[in-house]
Amino acid sequence: MTGLTVRAPAKVNLHLGVGAPRDDGFHPLVTVYQAVGLYDDLTAREADDWQVGATVSDWIDPAVVPLDGDNIVDRAADLLAAHHGIERSGELHIAKEIPVSGGMAGGSADAAAALVALDRLWGAGTSDEDLLALAARLGSDVPFALLGGTALGTGRGELVAPVADRGTWWWVVVPSAVGLSTPEVYRHFDKMFPDAPSAPVPADALLEAIASGDPWALADALHNDLEAPAIDLRPELGRLIETGEAAGALRGMVTGSGPTCVFLCGSADHARSLAAEMSGAGNAVVLAANGPVAGAHLVSYA
Ligand code: C5P
């Protein structure tokens, strides 16, 4: 084999309960992730040295893609190579479609795709358990990018358990031109909620809504504790959510730490018509995606 392409999805947090910071600075989470159909594709080819390049969808600013030698893909390769006692090698190319610094775990998707692709390219045969453990060391959302589907996340988000989800949920996704820093949003949460309880809000209502398969029930149950700090940092996000709901979204919300906003729709047709209306209302980039979809997976041999 000389090369292969692995595809990894973006995530939406259907429920994001955040507790007071732990001693290690991370926040305890109870979250429900859903993988949605926006993807980064990572192609890895055999090479003697190590190179990483990227191209982006036409609406993403290439200047915001960090390829400065300490990006998460380099770190994924280093961890996997060290795990097997080998030198990293390969020529990698990332085709980005997931908003950068958008709260949709685009960097985590690239890390998960790199783990899966390099494991195959190097014939390393890493067990699923070891791959998940390496993923957790790379970032809180990386294990979920491997798993995909709909999943309950606990710990700092890295402990993932699949949730049965027979629904197909439709989303309109509105990225912002300028990203938000995740640590900054968490710091702002601490400032706004100095008395946050150590135990995050549980996800029971959200899990019931998923089991019901009813988009209106899901709309009622969506919950994000990082929405208030994200809107406080970027008041225009509050106005965007109001506009989307006035245009007929069942519910709009900030996803993860933002600034991307997602709008739940009742059907594929509803998502298409809402996307058209929100584009017409002057939002430069409006996407539609459904979930749940698979985690990082091989799509072709290059
Ligand atoms: O785990 P990850 O590298 O994605 O986290 C990025 C940053 O987000 C952390 O350095 C931390 O500031 C914040 N974070 C947090 N609590 C979490 C996850 C992330 O405070 N559960």
Side-chain angles (χ1 to χ4, degrees), residues 1 16 28 34-35 41 44 51 53 57 61 67 85 89 191 193 229 237 245 271 290 302:
M1 188 214 322
L16 181 50
Q34 183 167 89
D41 280 359
Q51 286 175 48
S57 291
D61 175 3
L67 285 177
S89 66
K191 239 187 260 167
F193 305 106
L237 300 180
E245 289 183 344
N290 66 303

Side-chain angles (χ1 to χ4, degrees), residues 167-191:
T168 297
W169 311 94
W170 287 93
W171 302 95
V172 167
V173 177
V174 184
S176 292
V178 180
L180 262 177
S181 140
T182 300
E184 185 187 350
V185 176
Y186 274 106
R187 276 197 300 273
H188 205 60
F189 171 88
D190 295 339
K191 239 187 260 167

Side-chain angles (χ1 to χ4, degrees), residues 2-5 43-47 49 89-93 118 121 302:
T2 57
L4 47 83
T5 298
T43 299
R45 290 192 172 80
E46 285 176 358
D49 56 352
S89 66
E91 187 188 319
L92 271 60
H93 181 84
L118 293 173
L121 192 74

Side-chain angles (χ1 to χ4, degrees), residues 45-253:
R45 290 192 172 80
E46 285 176 358
D48 292 332
D49 56 352
W50 176 252
Q51 286 175 48
V52 184
T55 46
V56 297
S57 291
D58 54 5
W59 51 270
I60 297 177
D61 175 3
V64 300
V65 178
L67 285 177
D68 53 7
D70 185 32
N71 68 77
I72 197 163
V73 169
D74 287 321
R75 287 193 286 121
D78 285 340
L79 263 189
L80 186 66
H83 183 70
H84 293 287
I86 55 177
E87 288 285 310
R88 76 178 183 192
S89 66
E91 187 188 319
L92 271 60
H93 181 84
I94 306 164
K96 287 200 77 63
E97 183 189 339
I98 303 175
V100 177
S101 300
M104 300 193 85
S108 302
D110 298 346
L115 287 176
V116 172
L118 293 173
D119 180 56
R120 294 287 282 259
L121 192 74
W122 298 342
T126 317
S127 68
D128 289 349
E129 203 187 348
D130 285 356
L131 221 49
L132 279 170
L134 294 174
R137 289 173 60 189
L138 289 164
S140 306
D141 297 335
V142 183
F144 175 70
L146 286 176
L147 192 66
T150 301
L152 182 65
T154 52
R156 59 181 166 86
E158 89 285 20
L159 305 174
V160 285
V163 166
D165 182 357
R166 278 183 291 278
T168 297
W169 311 94
W170 287 93
W171 302 95
V172 167
V173 177
V174 184
S176 292
V178 180
L180 262 177
S181 140
T182 300
E184 185 187 350
V185 176
Y186 274 106
R187 276 197 300 273
H188 205 60
F189 171 88
D190 295 339
K191 239 187 260 167
M192 286 178 77
F193 305 106
D195 299 323
S198 53
V201 180
D204 304 34
L206 192 285
L207 294 172
E208 263 176 50
I210 287 285
S212 78
D214 174 2
W216 284 268
L218 182 62
D220 276 348
L222 294 172
H223 177 92
N224 182 1
D225 282 338
L226 293 183
E227 181 169 79
I231 291 177
D232 204 52
L233 291 166
R234 291 277 177 85
E236 68 269 25
L237 300 180
R239 291 191 287 276
L240 175 62
I241 290 169
E242 277 169 24
T243 313
E245 289 183 344
L250 307 187
R251 176 90 183 267
M253 69 167 179

